[in-house]
Amino acid sequence: MATATSAGHEVHIDDEGFMTEPAEWNEEIAAFLAAQIGIGELTDEHWKVITFLRDDFAAQGETATLRRVTTLEGTPTKQLYALFPKKPARKMAYVAGLPKPKGCI
């Protein structure tokens, strides 16, 4: 398993750069990862989605899909695209320090 340094912390990642050990994640790393993919300062709306993803992952054992986030968390798809442009499911998981959701290309 590969490692990388994110915000001064060594983390385990897969071949696409997604963190493989969610326990290594923290808010400082989230801000660093968001900046890497062109997302500016994380707002309360970003944190609401990130918190849902992490809580859902802890309960379900896999990263929530975009549909699951819109259905259970309540943020509309259009808003998710505004918060995490172009590929929201991938970007949300990346910033939240979780594996890429199943079905994501």
Side-chain angles (χ1 to χ4, degrees):
M1 191 176 317
T3 60
T5 302
S6 291
H9 303 276
E10 189 168 315
V11 297
H12 292 86
I13 58 170
D14 66 13
D15 59 341
E16 293 183 78
F18 287 85
M19 290 180 64
T20 57
E21 301 293 331
E24 295 175 344
W25 178 91
N26 62 41
E27 291 183 2
E28 183 182 9
I29 290 173
F32 176 83
L33 294 174
Q36 277 192 317
I37 58 172
I39 296 172
E41 184 177 337
L42 295 173
T43 66
D44 289 344
E45 290 298 312
H46 287 101
W47 285 113
K48 181 177 154 187
V49 173
I50 292 166
T51 300
F52 170 81
L53 280 173
R54 292 195 54 85
D55 291 346
D56 191 67
F57 181 84
Q60 301 297 319
E62 65 183 36
T63 306
T65 61
L66 192 63
R67 180 175 296 221
R68 184 171 177 83
V69 174
T70 59
T71 302
L72 297 180
E73 194 278 319
T75 301
T77 302
K78 189 174 184 175
Q79 187 173 353
L80 292 175
Y81 272 88
L83 292 169
F84 301 92
K86 297 191 180 169
K87 296 183 178 183
R90 288 179 63 95
K91 290 182 176 184
M92 292 183 309
Y94 182 77
V95 173
L98 301 172
K100 180 174 71 172
K102 290 182 179 175
C104 261
I105 343 178

